[in-house]
Amino acid sequence: MDTELQRVIRFIEERDWSQFHNPKDLAISLSLEAAELLEHFQWKNQSEIDTYLQEHKADVAEELVDVLYWVLLISHYLKIDLPEAFDHKMTKNEAKYPVDKAKGKHDKYTAYE
Ligand SMILES: [Mg+2]
């Protein structure tokens, strides 16, 4: 079975779409899909979101997958090992937000330096 990335690459290759792909347009596409995710929540308070999700959770999931699709594709084209990059960035985040200082708080990391 293909990984998610392999499936995205096959999808692109079968359609000969890589000719249209460059980092700028891929990043724009990622941002547009993130905006489509936002549209589901725009103008709704938490109670309205809770109600909305009862019927539209699958729609929200599709937007998350659209975002993931572009993340995977960008990392592929830029030859970024995403699991490795994820591990590296989370290690940085863990150092920036030490549990003993950040637990239960929402300050920016500069508050903990
Ligand atoms: Mg979408």
Side-chain angles (χ1 to χ4, degrees), residues 33 36 62-63 66:
E33 291 301 341
E36 289 181 14
E62 287 194 1
E63 297 308 341
D66 286 344

Side-chain angles (χ1 to χ4, degrees), residues 8-89:
V8 167
I9 292 169
R10 181 164 39 84
F11 180 84
I12 295 299
E13 288 177 347
E14 288 173 347
R15 289 157 183 79
D16 193 23
W17 284 350
S18 63
Q19 62 184 309
F20 306 116
H21 293 162
N22 61 73
K24 173 186 65 75
D25 290 313
L26 296 174
I28 288 171
S29 298
L30 169 61
S31 183
L32 291 172
E33 291 301 341
E36 289 181 14
L37 174 65
L38 283 174
E39 280 187 307
H40 287 281
F41 306 119
Q42 186 181 28
W43 311 122
K44 296 178 182 72
N45 63 33
Q46 186 60 55
S47 174
E48 292 167 329
I49 289 172
D50 292 343
T51 301
Y52 178 81
L53 286 175
Q54 289 174 13
E55 286 195 21
H56 297 276
K57 195 169 180 179
D59 300 324
V60 171
E62 287 194 1
E63 297 308 341
L64 283 174
V65 172
D66 286 344
V67 169
L68 178 61
Y69 170 96
W70 292 111
V71 168
L72 291 170
L73 203 53
I74 292 169
S75 68
H76 170 68
Y77 282 126
L78 299 183
K79 297 181 174 22
I80 292 170
D81 182 328
L82 209 50
E84 183 182 304
F86 180 86
D87 182 60
H88 179 73
K89 182 64 165 103

